[in-house]
Amino acid sequence: MEINPDQLRQQSALFAAMDTADLHAVMALARNEAHPARHVIFREGEEGDRLLLLLEGRVKVSLSSAEGKEAILSILEPGQLIGEMSLLDGGARSATVTTMDVCRFLAIRRRDFLVFLERHPRVALALLQALSLRLRATNDQVGNLSFLNLPARLARILLNLGQQYGKHTGEGIVIGLKLSQEELGNLVGVSRESVNRQVRLWVEAGLLDYAHGILIIKDSDTLFREALAA
């Protein structure tokens, strides 16, 4: 599929920092890559050989414990970069990335992109800024997991998901992600059973609806107050 340069600029701050000549030079290095839903793009510890720009679909970024438990660090949407840490330091992948939907990417090999960055320092600065934003978001999430109780943590994550993926309807804010109870628990950092109990309490209280993996926020004001409670 042909990539529109203007669309890339709109989707990604990294590509927005490039002039037309730079953008065409990068696109000459890139190739399209597509994967089905629930497909592991790469695993934590693997060699980082390419940078990906997500064009369509959503992916989750996660870590696994020695016991096989998963912690979801973030859910990425179109326009976001994947693999920029390994691209810069040449180290192994720091997390596992799995598609949540059918996804399409723009992929650039590390060796090609590093040569390009050496010649275009402004683009390198934009990449560092994108990485800094990702680290800040991760720090915020780790802080929430460390210091807040379960209802406050879950409320903050649901409100954040509502902001990113929510659609206002007559029923409430429909979160446009299909999340299993296990995935929701992995986002919050608790067991599936724990998050299920809390969701059930809020469904009974009229704050949420949750069926077949679809969450609907029905009372965002009360959920916001829950998010502020320590």
Side-chain angles (χ1 to χ4, degrees):
M1 181 181 296
E2 186 176 350
I3 305 299
N4 186 324
D6 292 331
Q7 181 185 3
L8 285 182
R9 285 199 178 100
Q10 293 171 5
Q11 284 186 311
S12 169
L14 174 64
F15 289 94
M18 300 182 190
D19 60 26
T20 301
D22 291 346
L23 188 55
H24 282 287
V26 167
M27 290 176 64
L29 301 174
R31 68 179 190 277
N32 283 305
E33 191 171 310
H35 297 282
R38 306 287 178 180
H39 175 78
V40 176
I41 304 298
F42 48 72
R43 296 186 184 277
E44 179 185 358
E46 290 182 350
E47 179 184 359
D49 61 345
R50 69 199 191 282
L51 175 74
L52 299 175
L53 173 69
L54 181 58
L55 298 175
E56 294 178 5
R58 298 186 180 99
V59 302
K60 63 177 179 180
V61 182
S62 63
L63 297 174
S64 296
S65 69
E67 295 78 25
K69 294 182 179 179
E70 180 186 52
I72 297 178
L73 300 179
S74 58
I75 295 174
L76 305 183
E77 56 187 348
Q80 293 186 284
L81 297 172
I82 304 167
E84 64 271 40
M85 289 182 65
S86 293
L87 179 101
L88 290 173
D89 65 14
R93 298 294 190 189
S94 59
T96 296
V97 174
T98 308
T99 60
M100 302 183 73
D101 315 302
V102 175
C103 290
R104 189 166 63 90
F105 305 88
L106 198 64
I108 306 173
R109 291 184 300 179
R110 178 177 185 269
R111 64 187 183 189
D112 294 332
F113 200 49
L114 287 179
V115 172
F116 178 86
L117 291 178
E118 289 175 358
R119 299 172 181 169
H120 302 81
R122 185 175 60 178
V123 179
L125 179 59
L127 180 60
L128 290 173
Q129 289 172 335
L131 180 57
S132 177
L133 288 173
R134 182 78 54 80
L135 290 174
R136 286 181 184 274
T138 301
N139 286 344
D140 289 343
Q141 182 171 348
V142 170
N144 288 344
L145 294 180
S146 300
F147 302 115
L148 298 176
N149 59 34
L150 170 57
R153 284 150 56 187
L154 179 57
R156 289 193 182 195
I157 285 176
L158 291 177
L159 290 170
N160 183 52
L161 291 175
Q163 269 193 328
Q164 292 186 68
Y165 310 111
K167 180 179 179 181
H168 289 266
T169 71
E171 297 180 84
I173 302 173
V174 180
I175 296 175
L177 283 176
K178 191 171 184 179
L179 294 169
S180 67
Q181 292 176 358
E182 183 174 6
E183 287 174 326
L184 194 55
N186 291 341
L187 267 171
V188 183
V190 299
S191 67
R192 178 182 62 82
E193 292 78 12
S194 296
V195 79
N196 183 43
R197 281 195 295 270
Q198 186 60 54
V199 167
R200 190 165 59 246
L201 287 173
W202 285 344
V203 168
E204 293 171 354
L207 275 67
L208 299 175
D209 267 349
Y210 181 54
H212 308 295
I214 302 298
L215 281 155
I216 303 175
I217 299 175
K218 300 180 71 67
D219 186 346
S220 57
D221 290 339
T222 301
L223 202 62
F224 182 76
R225 289 194 291 272
E226 290 278 2
L228 295 180

